[in-house]
Amino acid sequence: MTRLAVSAPGEKMAAVQDGGSEPEGEKEPQPELPSDGSSAPAATPASKPEEQQQQQQQTLLAVLQFLKRNKLIESVDALRREAGLADEPDEAPGSEAGGGVGGAAAGSADSADASALLSRVAGAAQSGAASAPAKGGEDQPDVSVVLSAYSQQGDPSLYQVYYSGLKKFIESVLDCHRAELSQLFYPLFVHMYLELVYNNHESEAKAFFEKFSGDQECYYQDDLRVLSGLTKKEHMKGNETLLDFRTSKFVLRISRDSYQLLKRHLQERQNNQIWNIIQEHLYIDIFDGMPRSKSQIDSMSGSLAGEARREANKAKVFYGLLKEPEIEVPLDDEDEEAENEEGKPKKKKPKKDSMGSKSKKQDPNAPQQNRIPLPELKDSDKLDKIMYMKEATKRIRLGPETLPSICFYTFLNVYQGLTAVDFTDDSSLIAGGFADSTVRVWSVTPKKLRKVKSAADLSLIDKESDDVLERIMDEKTASESKILYGHSGPVYGVSFSPDRNYLLSSSEDGTVRLWSLQTFTCLVAYKGHNYPVWDTQFSPYGYYFVSGGHDRVARLWATDHYQPLRMFAGHLGDITCTRFHPNSNYVATGSADRTIRLWDVLNGHCVRVFTGHKGPIHSLAFSPNGKYLASGSTDGRVLLWDLGHGLMIGELKGHTDTVYALKFSRDGEILASGSMDNTVRLWDAFKAFDDVETDDFTAATGHIHLPDNSQELLLGTYLTKATPVIHLHFTRRNLLLAAGSYNSQ
Amino acid sequence: MTETREERRFAEVPRESIKLMAESAGVELGDDVAAMLAEDVCYRLREATQNSSQFMRHAKRRKLTVEDFNRALRWSNTETICGYGAQDALPFRPLKEGELFFVEDREVNLVELALATNIPKGCAETMVRVHVSYLDGKGNLEPQGTVPSAVQSLSDDLLKYYQQITRAILGEDPHLMKVALLDLQSNSKIAALLPYFVYVISGVKSVSHDLDQLNRLLHMVKSLVQNPYLYLGSYVRSLVSSVMYCILEPLAASINPLNDHWTLRDYAALLLSHIFWTHGDLVSGLYHQILLSLQKVLSDPVRPLCSHYGAVVGLHALGWKAVERVLYPHLPAYWANLQAVLDDYSVSNAQVKADGHKVYGAILVAVERLLKMKAVSLSASAEGGAAALQGSVGGMMGFRESSPGLSPPPEPLSEPPLGIASHLQAGGAGCQWEEWTPVSLPDMYCELYSFFGDSLAVRFSTGPALGGAPSATPIQSSDTRKEPGSGAANLESTRKMPQLTANMNISPRQDGSPRTEPAPPSLATAPGRLGGAPKRKKGGQSRDIFPKARFPPPQVGPPAFSFLIGGRQMGRRCQGRRFQTSFTPTPSLTSLPPRAYAHKLPVIGRVSKPVRRWTCSHYSLYLPL
């Protein structure tokens, strides 16, 4: 038992939120429920142990009841087991009982009493009430109920006293604890301010804000600005930022020592106000061990809802790559092709062998081949794979000494309207999404874009002829570019299917559209997001795609279903970018809440939550081996993550503006980042991943010491001519392509 | 409370505004209601602003647009705001009386727009262009528009100086700019930086939309040219091309009729002549090239009128010889075009017509100067053959040294110091002035009169000596009077006066004072009559006080001629419109054939049909011999 959950209702909510999808996850949280403060909101930490026990019992019963109602039998059993069910009152959390707050676990679970107790619990505390309606819809919490949590009254004039009292205390503690306890400032500040506003103490709220807003960490500036505008109770309704604060518990990681210190202080001072807030709105994740340093804390904090809980990153992630399908290339075929192309039949053989051997050994970290069903390879796909292998043999091996050449695709005459770009994997097509609702596709090879002939003309074609695929194309329509009309708002995301037959586009109009690149017409409009869709991407194996937008839900679709297959809910802000893992089993989403989440496509679970960015995340990239993730945000920093361990393993500082594009080279040695600051930067990804020392402790706690080595890792900075870089792509031979629109201002 | 208000960083709508708006909607609001509404409005505004920023971020822009804001409004179920979607900045202006602020919204004349002949082309097509930016990770790391890399290798002090100076000149502070220009003009240690300054100046092409910047760059040219310690060498060519760009190109700034690009062109032309007169000898063939390009522009009817204007003032600035050789022969052809413009009274043509008048005026000034200087030169050369040489050489040097301001560069009698004649003859085949033959002054006047009519005559009429007295004083006065604005322009047509062909080769020399060889003693026009004219010019000092010092001599000499120029009224009432000068009278006027195009003259210049009169009349050019 390394953790102490201080507040129960939140836990319940969390349980509810996760419950639907992840029942087994409940086992862990439940035992910590005993330290429930919400069932007795006014209860002081110093209240008598008997009383506490009584309350604990009630809470436990309420939880049980709740779980039963939700048919979470497994969890109920687990809880009963762990709580010692009938007659073991001082079982597991006994240690916490000494602290006075988290009392001992309640003993008897009389199911007959449960319903009565539940009603009492729900009625007793408004905060308790908050948790109940949350059952209804996690996405759209009932505002009034949520807000009512703030109705607790305290003397408004004393808020400043409370806060400065705590401040004084934290400033007086030992250095090692101070950094940790300072994390409390921001969430406390926010919630106290909101409480004041909610209770119509406008002037006190203003004074409070002015007095203490300067103390907060600079990376909370954006949120503070939103808060500063909010001065009336009426404003709180419909304010998303506020809802985020309220519906999610701000997560803090604090070492046990520091926590004890805080607890003792608050007990001594009888500082109920602060204690209540901590209990209701904060989730303190307590760990045993050395307190973290300021820099460690800073590197992980910054998201809208604090850090990720440690258990959020414990699930196993199969980050390995899928086995390459064995493509049987008939030898004579091979020779033919080779002769046709360059007459190098020799090189082929060894290469094919190597490919075969590679695909034979199964990566232990890889998911089962059929963990999610993948489309079968068509002949054309196989041909493409062969092309890919051929190209791969000609690939340049990059490194700090051999940097890639960079080609820049400049979009001209777009009048600031270019909003998204994508290349096909073989770099033969480029698509642009524009603010004028159009999608344009260009061929960047001499091969022009042609439409398929009309049905009438097609019926005339000799279908038996060998070149039927050529015959179906209408030569008259050949042109360098095609325009796709259909959206009714700016197109914020475009993505080619791996087989180059389809193109996806997501737009402000709330739809994702699938276009055929054979006929250059729209095939499907996927409606599901009712708000702007900021990004979409095809799975590396085609068929599936993911989209995410303003409604904070990422959706997984299959091209032949008009409704989403999975909905990934959990972000507290807009989903700004979405990426598929190379093995297609996971989806990463970056959000305006400054977190990155990794979702399991199979079951829709959130398996990783990464915090540490200080601004909305606008770009993501998986390393080709599937092991790492890179993310870029508006603060100009690029962070590197280890998916297997769920750790931040690197920070790349250098950009001065939003990083809109990230891409690993084909072999993963180089990470290229493109930004609004009109530069492309190349980073030594190999070194960045190699330098990380992951001993058991850091791996277990997630407290990593980030080396500040951005300058060593930066291999080059390449300026464009007043052209923000919004997309990057490595060709199969490791030539770096960048794209952006010339900005004449 | 008040302090907090000051600290706020977001917009506030005062309750007074709320009340006003309510009133306009016919609702009376109490103070408290207005206050609450105001606060709510502020809050909603802030909310919408915050929401709109995400549209900007996802559009990958730095600039928040009206469109972004409208999207935010639309998604919060609020009516959007129409009419502010233009790409251009919308200046927010205060009204002087009363605290009223508004967005400037100029009225657009739809008729004008509909009938406009220069319909703007549609937006260029969106396209993708690819280029290899960095090969193997290597490439030029300098962003465009910053210091060229070589500058980096300069000494720190120089680099700093370079940066300071460029920043000051191109910056906002006019005082700083003056100081910088002054220093640039007098600093003796900046030779190493010259290429970079020239490079900066060559940036005119990239700021053609910004008159102010162009002006500053021209001033920079001026300072460099005037710096006595700088040897410009072949950089003259680059400077000249930059200046020519300002003179001739249809600058982006010219699109807006409110921009006074005319002044810029005038200034650039002045600068051009200055560079030319002071540094023209550094690059051979420069004069020839300049004339060629000016001529090319002038003869290109597709070019906009402002370019033509530039060409005219450029020629004018280069001296009357240039005018005579390029503009004059071109005039008949050009006139038709100009006249078509001037005669078009349609609304849509108003702007073009205004430009046309500008060109008209420029030509008039140039031509006037031409006539005057030609007259002067004729008389002068008539009087002093060899002396002219001396004088002009001295003058040249004097000018070179004492050229603090640009204003009077055109040294009227001395033509380009390098052997122009040789350029002209050897120069590009087919260029028009190659077969150029001097035209006699009266002929020239006749022809010009046919274009300009009285407006030309009037220009010569104000001399004090009305009576046609044969004294030379009038020249002086008229000369000095017109000096600032006018340069001599002279037009010459190739055709008539066969007797002069013999002089063709040397003629350019003669009128200009050649630098090296003595000019042929007598002038083309009436050598016989004027033969043996005494010399009266003196060298050096003529330069400084040029008109006075130089031209008084003529009157000393015996064969001072004066003539009377008049328009058509001359004969009738306004006998006084005469122009006197000492010149060599030319053969009879009657030889001048009537010009067909005289009939096409616009009303401005032409009063009646002068042709008939000219052919028969003797009073137009009255030569009291």
Side-chain angles (χ1 to χ4, degrees):
Chain A
M1 183 69 37
T2 56
R3 256 173 346 141
L4 171 66
V6 181
S7 60
E11 200 57 53
K12 270 189 276 181
M13 278 175 61
V16 174
Q17 283 173 344
D18 296 340
S21 55
E22 204 176 5
E24 67 277 11
E26 307 246 314
K27 287 179 218 163
E28 289 182 10
Q30 296 311 330
E32 287 129 34
L33 281 174
S35 59
D36 177 16
S38 67
S39 58
T44 63
S47 63
K48 289 177 188 170
E50 293 82 18
E51 208 173 293
Q52 278 185 13
Q53 276 191 10
Q54 180 69 12
Q55 285 161 7
Q56 300 301 344
Q57 221 165 5
Q58 286 176 6
T59 312
L60 197 64
L61 291 175
V63 171
L64 283 170
Q65 184 74 7
F66 171 78
L67 291 175
K68 266 184 198 160
R69 268 205 284 163
N70 283 274
K71 301 203 172 67
L72 301 170
I73 309 300
E74 207 181 326
S75 304
V76 172
D77 290 345
L79 181 57
R80 280 171 180 256
R81 214 168 25 237
E82 293 211 27
L85 205 87
D87 299 312
E88 291 159 55
D90 287 320
E91 185 251 324
S95 57
E96 277 107 274
V101 192
S108 76
D110 186 350
S111 54
D113 286 345
S115 59
L117 286 172
L118 178 62
S119 63
R120 255 164 64 199
V121 171
Q126 280 152 316
S127 57
S131 66
K135 291 177 216 159
E138 300 97 292
D139 292 342
Q140 309 277 315
D142 187 334
V143 177
S144 62
V145 174
V146 167
L147 291 181
S148 69
Y150 283 121
S151 66
Q152 278 179 342
Q153 281 280 6
D155 185 350
S157 56
L158 287 179
Y159 274 58
Q160 290 201 28
V161 179
Y162 291 148
Y163 188 87
S164 46
L166 183 73
K167 192 174 154 191
K168 215 175 285 165
F169 160 70
I170 291 177
E171 276 164 2
S172 68
V173 299
L174 285 175
D175 280 359
C176 61
H177 299 303
R178 189 189 305 147
E180 289 209 309
L181 292 179
S182 297
Q183 299 177 78
L184 277 169
F185 282 139
Y186 175 69
L188 274 182
F189 169 80
V190 171
H191 286 291
M192 288 174 88
Y193 176 75
L194 290 178
E195 245 178 68
L196 286 171
V197 171
Y198 184 79
N199 293 311
N200 288 322
H201 304 300
E202 198 180 328
S203 54
E204 282 92 348
K206 251 179 205 164
F208 183 79
F209 189 90
E210 255 138 48
K211 189 155 180 199
F212 299 114
S213 65
D215 299 344
Q216 311 306 328
E217 297 286 354
C218 56
Y219 39 79
Y220 292 121
Q221 277 310 313
D222 288 346
D223 291 339
L224 288 179
R225 202 172 302 131
V226 175
L227 269 188
S228 70
L230 188 134
T231 52
K232 286 233 185 302
K233 188 177 174 182
E234 293 77 43
H235 296 162
M236 295 172 81
K237 287 172 191 156
N239 187 310
E240 289 165 358
T241 312
L242 173 62
L243 281 180
D244 295 338
F245 278 129
R246 182 56 199 92
T247 54
S248 62
K249 290 205 158 202
F250 199 95
V251 181
L252 304 172
R253 269 189 216 174
I254 293 184
S255 68
R256 184 172 301 283
D257 292 349
S258 303
Y259 178 69
Q260 300 285 11
L261 212 59
L262 173 73
K263 207 160 60 178
R264 208 171 303 132
H265 167 76
L266 291 177
Q267 279 168 10
E268 281 165 15
R269 294 295 176 89
Q270 309 259 312
N271 201 338
N272 299 337
Q273 205 67 37
I274 286 185
W275 188 243
N276 287 340
I277 290 177
I278 290 178
Q279 286 185 319
E280 280 167 40
H281 302 299
L282 268 52
Y283 176 95
I284 298 186
D285 193 350
I286 295 171
F287 61 87
D288 292 308
M290 285 281 290
R292 291 187 294 171
S293 70
K294 174 95 174 109
S295 68
Q296 278 178 317
I297 293 170
D298 279 349
S299 69
M300 297 293 286
S301 53
S303 98
L304 197 64
E307 294 181 41
R309 303 175 189 205
R310 271 175 307 152
E311 81 266 9
N313 287 334
K314 289 289 182 237
K316 165 109 175 119
V317 171
F318 303 101
Y319 55 80
L321 299 185
L322 295 180
K323 208 163 55 171
E324 281 292 322
E326 284 172 48
I327 300 166
E328 286 153 31
V329 189
L331 255 178
D332 46 353
D333 235 26
E334 211 174 284
D335 289 342
E336 248 179 44
E337 267 178 52
E339 277 160 17
N340 287 350
E341 288 227 330
E342 270 144 41
K344 292 187 222 162
K346 260 193 183 174
K347 277 199 175 173
K348 281 272 171 74
K349 259 242 156 175
K351 177 210 63 208
K352 190 199 164 199
D353 288 349
S354 72
M355 283 308 297
S357 63
K358 206 191 271 179
S359 59
K360 262 166 213 157
K361 59 175 168 192
Q362 168 82 14
D363 187 337
N365 292 307
Q368 292 229 313
Q369 201 71 9
N370 55 356
R371 190 165 177 266
I372 61 163
L374 292 174
E376 273 181 30
L377 284 184
K378 289 175 292 194
D379 288 349
S380 57
D381 297 330
K382 286 180 184 160
L383 278 177
D384 197 55
K385 285 258 186 269
I386 293 166
M387 279 303 296
Y388 176 79
M389 290 177 204
K390 273 188 198 165
E391 291 280 306
T393 57
K394 295 169 191 161
R395 179 183 298 162
I396 296 165
R397 194 145 181 97
L398 299 178
E401 304 308 318
T402 49
L403 294 177
S405 300
I406 307 175
C407 284
F408 204 98
Y409 285 82
T410 311
F411 286 72
L412 303 168
N413 307 321
V414 295
Y415 312 102
Q416 302 230 343
L418 181 69
T419 44
V421 178
D422 194 31
F423 285 94
T424 52
D425 186 69
D426 67 349
S427 318
S428 63
L429 302 176
I430 183 171
F434 292 85
D436 63 2
S437 314
T438 59
V439 178
R440 286 159 205 255
V441 184
W442 282 268
S443 168
V444 295
T445 59
K447 199 178 152 198
K448 299 212 164 164
L449 300 175
R450 294 171 303 174
K451 288 185 190 178
V452 170
K453 285 178 183 164
S454 69
D457 291 340
L458 281 177
S459 62
L460 302 176
I461 294 176
D462 172 17
K463 285 159 193 80
E464 302 304 316
S465 71
D466 289 340
D467 58 345
V468 67
L469 287 178
E470 187 60 26
R471 289 191 184 197
I472 59 170
M473 307 312 288
D474 188 353
E475 220 29 76
K476 280 179 297 216
T477 59
S479 65
E480 196 181 292
S481 79
K482 293 267 186 253
I483 306 179
L484 307 175
Y485 297 102
H487 281 295
S488 60
V491 179
Y492 291 119
V494 288
S495 174
F496 280 106
S497 71
D499 61 3
R500 295 188 297 284
N501 282 326
Y502 304 104
L503 176 70
L504 277 175
S505 62
S506 70
S507 159
E508 190 238 19
D509 62 16
T511 62
V512 179
R513 279 176 187 267
L514 181 74
W515 309 84
S516 163
L517 297 183
Q518 299 293 334
T519 60
F520 292 97
T521 52
C522 181
L523 302 176
V524 196
Y526 299 95
K527 294 174 185 173
H529 295 277
N530 287 320
Y531 289 93
V533 188
W534 298 131
D535 199 8
T536 186
Q537 206 211 8
F538 253 115
S539 143
Y541 293 90
Y543 185 61
Y544 299 108
F545 65 93
V546 61
S547 65
H550 180 66
D551 59 6
R552 304 165 179 212
V553 179
R555 286 168 164 81
L556 179 85
W557 312 73
T559 48
D560 56 357
H561 287 64
Y562 65 91
Q563 284 184 323
L565 304 179
R566 297 280 183 280
M567 312 230 311
F568 305 117
H571 275 298
L572 300 173
D574 295 21
I575 289 174
T576 47
C577 53
T578 53
R579 283 293 172 273
F580 254 100
H581 189 276
N583 67 19
S584 198
N585 278 258
Y586 296 93
V587 163
T589 55
S591 163
D593 68 9
R594 308 187 286 267
T595 64
I596 298 152
R597 283 171 186 256
L598 190 72
W599 310 86
D600 191 335
V601 165
L602 180 67
N603 48 26
H605 294 168
C606 175
V607 290
R608 289 287 180 272
V609 179
F610 295 132
T611 63
H613 272 298
K614 318 289 190 245
I617 289 136
H618 275 271
S619 51
L620 290 171
F622 282 98
S623 69
N625 61 10
K627 233 177 143 183
Y628 305 105
L629 178 69
S631 59
S633 83
T634 55
D635 60 12
R637 296 184 319 147
V638 174
L639 297 183
L640 303 174
W641 310 90
D642 181 328
L643 295 175
H645 298 98
L647 292 175
M648 183 197 294
I649 51 168
E651 179 187 21
L652 306 175
K653 286 185 277 194
H655 282 295
T656 56
D657 209 330
T658 307
V659 178
Y660 275 120
L662 280 172
K663 194 81 179 185
F664 282 96
S665 68
R666 293 279 175 166
D667 296 321
E669 295 107 336
I670 300 275
L671 173 66
S673 61
S675 158
M676 273 292 265
D677 64 10
N678 301 344
T679 61
V680 174
R681 285 171 203 260
L682 299 180
W683 310 88
D684 191 340
F686 186 74
K687 188 162 187 288
F689 296 138
D690 211 36
D691 280 1
V692 178
E693 340 127 15
T694 43
D695 54 60
D696 290 343
F697 174 73
T698 54
T701 57
H703 305 153
I704 189 112
H705 252 304
L706 283 182
D708 187 16
N709 56 353
S710 294
Q711 282 317 306
E712 298 162 36
L713 298 178
L714 180 61
L715 297 177
T717 301
Y718 303 95
L719 292 157
T720 68
K721 295 172 181 171
T723 310
V725 184
I726 66 170
H727 192 78
L728 291 169
H729 177 78
F730 276 97
T731 67
R732 291 172 172 177
R733 299 186 189 186
N734 266 339
L735 172 70
L736 179 56
L737 308 181
S741 68
Y742 174 66
N743 190 345
S744 54
Q745 284 179 336
Chain B
M1 234 20 225
T2 46
E3 311 90 85
T4 66
R5 185 150 298 182
E6 280 162 19
E7 278 177 24
R8 296 216 161 159
R9 277 164 296 175
F10 33 73
E12 288 206 49
V13 180
R15 65 182 73 162
E16 289 77 19
S17 307
I18 298 286
K19 275 187 172 174
L20 269 176
M21 282 176 225
E23 267 172 38
S24 67
V27 184
E28 195 74 27
L29 287 185
D31 262 355
D32 47 342
V33 178
M36 289 193 37
L37 268 178
E39 193 157 355
D40 198 55
V41 166
C42 300
Y43 175 74
R44 300 296 161 199
L45 266 181
R46 286 196 293 276
E47 205 178 27
T49 315
Q50 272 152 8
N51 289 341
S52 62
S53 70
Q54 68 186 352
F55 290 99
M56 172 190 75
R57 276 205 307 271
H58 283 283
K60 299 175 173 95
R61 271 183 275 114
R62 274 197 205 85
K63 197 167 147 194
L64 188 73
T65 62
V66 178
E67 191 53 31
D68 292 331
F69 200 84
N70 271 340
R71 286 187 202 291
L73 290 180
R74 209 173 298 143
W75 283 110
S76 54
N77 291 323
T78 314
E79 272 179 53
T80 55
I81 303 164
C82 299
Y84 296 94
Q87 294 279 322
D88 313 327
L90 295 167
F92 202 53
R93 296 187 188 286
L95 198 67
K96 273 189 194 106
E97 51 284 335
E99 293 179 17
L100 195 59
F101 297 86
F102 62 95
V103 174
E104 200 177 35
D105 193 6
R106 259 186 283 162
E107 276 182 27
V108 178
N109 188 339
L110 283 179
V111 177
E112 207 169 292
L113 210 65
L115 301 178
T117 47
N118 54 339
I119 295 164
K121 277 179 242 161
C123 303
E125 203 190 333
T126 304
M127 53 172 104
V128 183
R129 285 291 167 265
V130 64
H131 50 93
V132 177
S133 308
Y134 297 96
L135 204 56
D136 294 336
K138 291 177 217 52
N140 174 24
L141 297 195
E142 258 70 50
Q144 267 216 331
T146 58
V147 184
S149 60
V151 173
Q152 248 80 293
S153 62
L154 292 169
S155 78
D156 272 354
D157 288 349
L158 275 178
L159 183 59
K160 216 178 254 173
Y161 178 83
Y162 170 83
Q163 284 167 343
Q164 295 287 348
I165 287 282
T166 46
R167 214 168 287 159
I169 292 179
L170 300 176
E172 295 299 327
D173 186 345
H175 179 69
L176 253 182
M177 180 185 86
K178 257 180 221 159
V179 174
L181 286 173
L182 218 59
D183 189 71
L184 205 56
Q185 196 176 315
S186 54
N187 198 319
S188 60
K189 297 165 192 155
I190 54 171
L193 288 173
L194 180 62
Y196 307 109
F197 285 124
V198 171
Y199 172 76
V200 167
I201 289 164
S202 70
V204 283
K205 294 172 181 87
S206 56
V207 293
S208 77
H209 56 278
D210 190 341
L211 275 182
D212 193 44
Q213 294 285 0
L214 288 175
N215 242 321
R216 287 158 187 269
L217 287 175
L218 286 181
H219 275 97
M220 204 160 156
V221 176
K222 178 189 148 189
S223 291
L224 287 179
V225 169
Q226 289 186 351
N227 189 325
Y229 306 103
L230 277 182
Y231 174 75
L232 296 183
S234 56
Y235 288 113
V236 167
R237 206 181 283 277
S238 168
L239 290 178
V240 163
S241 84
S242 295
V243 173
M244 292 281 278
Y245 180 86
C246 292
I247 299 177
L248 291 179
E249 284 312 307
L251 306 169
S254 321
I255 294 164
N256 185 348
L258 300 179
N259 280 338
D260 190 7
H261 56 105
W262 310 104
T263 318
L264 180 84
R265 291 177 200 279
D266 289 346
Y267 182 75
L270 219 53
L271 195 57
L272 176 68
S273 75
H274 182 68
I275 297 176
F276 179 68
W277 288 111
T278 53
H279 294 82
D281 47 342
L282 295 177
V283 182
S284 65
L286 187 64
Y287 182 74
H288 182 63
Q289 282 170 5
I290 296 175
L291 284 193
L292 251 181
S293 54
L294 290 176
Q295 188 207 14
K296 217 171 93 192
V297 170
L298 198 62
S299 57
D300 183 356
V302 183
R303 291 265 192 163
L305 285 166
C306 52
S307 288
H308 293 154
Y309 176 86
V312 173
V313 293
L315 287 167
H316 175 82
L318 283 180
W320 64 275
K321 281 288 149 200
V323 178
E324 182 178 37
R325 223 165 297 153
V326 179
L327 180 60
Y328 181 68
H330 248 289
L331 211 48
Y334 184 69
W335 198 259
N337 292 331
L338 182 59
Q339 200 195 344
V341 168
L342 294 179
D343 279 349
D344 184 355
Y345 285 90
S346 66
V347 184
S348 59
N349 192 49
Q351 189 53 49
V352 181
K353 188 160 175 275
D355 291 359
H357 280 294
K358 277 276 184 192
V359 180
Y360 179 89
I363 297 178
L364 185 60
V365 168
V367 158
E368 176 200 3
R369 172 71 162 239
L370 163 67
L371 288 173
K372 237 180 289 173
M373 296 322 295
K374 195 164 168 73
V376 169
S377 74
L378 288 178
S379 63
S381 61
E383 285 143 23
L389 161 72
Q390 261 184 312
S392 65
V393 171
M396 209 28 123
M397 302 177 56
F399 186 53
R400 193 82 189 264
E401 287 152 12
S402 67
S403 52
L406 294 171
S407 29
E411 211 260 292
L413 292 184
S414 60
E415 265 282 306
L418 24 148
I420 316 128
S422 58
H423 296 306
L424 292 180
Q425 278 134 29
C431 58
Q432 207 181 343
W433 60 78
E434 230 192 316
E435 351 125 45
W436 163 75
T437 324
V439 178
S440 72
L441 181 60
D443 289 356
M444 187 180 287
Y445 184 80
C446 292
E447 191 173 346
L448 290 174
Y449 185 87
S450 71
F451 293 120
F452 290 99
D454 280 356
S455 47
L456 181 64
V458 163
R459 294 204 149 233
F460 291 97
S461 67
T462 35
L466 270 191
S471 89
T473 34
I475 323 162
Q476 251 177 282
S477 59
S478 67
D479 241 0
T480 39
R481 181 169 44 81
K482 304 250 164 77
E483 176 97 33
S486 67
N490 61 0
L491 334 171
E492 210 117 321
S493 68
T494 48
R495 326 144 260 236
K496 41 247 139 180
M497 313 297 293
Q499 75 269 32
L500 294 179
T501 42
N503 289 328
M504 194 179 84
N505 291 350
I506 35 168
S507 47
R509 284 276 166 88
Q510 304 158 347
D511 6 322
S513 46
R515 208 178 185 188
T516 39
E517 312 149 45
S522 65
L523 239 233
T525 30
R529 285 190 224 170
L530 294 174
K535 34 193 99 175
R536 63 189 70 117
K537 289 230 205 119
K538 278 171 207 139
Q541 91 269 44
S542 68
R543 160 116 0 256
D544 299 333
I545 21 157
F546 126 72
K548 283 167 202 153
R550 175 158 291 192
F551 298 115
Q555 64 216 69
V556 186
F561 300 98
S562 67
F563 68 106
L564 183 71
I565 304 174
R568 69 153 185 134
Q569 307 100 318
M570 235 222 82
R572 291 182 193 162
R573 336 154 230 171
C574 315
Q575 305 250 340
R577 304 203 167 208
R578 267 157 291 181
F579 176 60
Q580 293 86 15
T581 184
S582 49
F583 81 121
T584 52
T586 40
S588 72
L589 305 166
T590 45
S591 63
L592 185 69
R595 294 265 162 162
Y597 45 80
H599 299 286
K600 293 184 192 162
L601 289 179
V603 191
I604 321 157
R606 186 182 47 157
V607 184
S608 74
K609 294 169 193 148
V611 186
R612 181 174 32 84
R613 201 165 303 247
W614 271 115
T615 47
C616 62
S617 89
H618 55 276
Y619 24 81
S620 302
L621 250 188
Y622 172 55
L623 309 173
L625 271 181

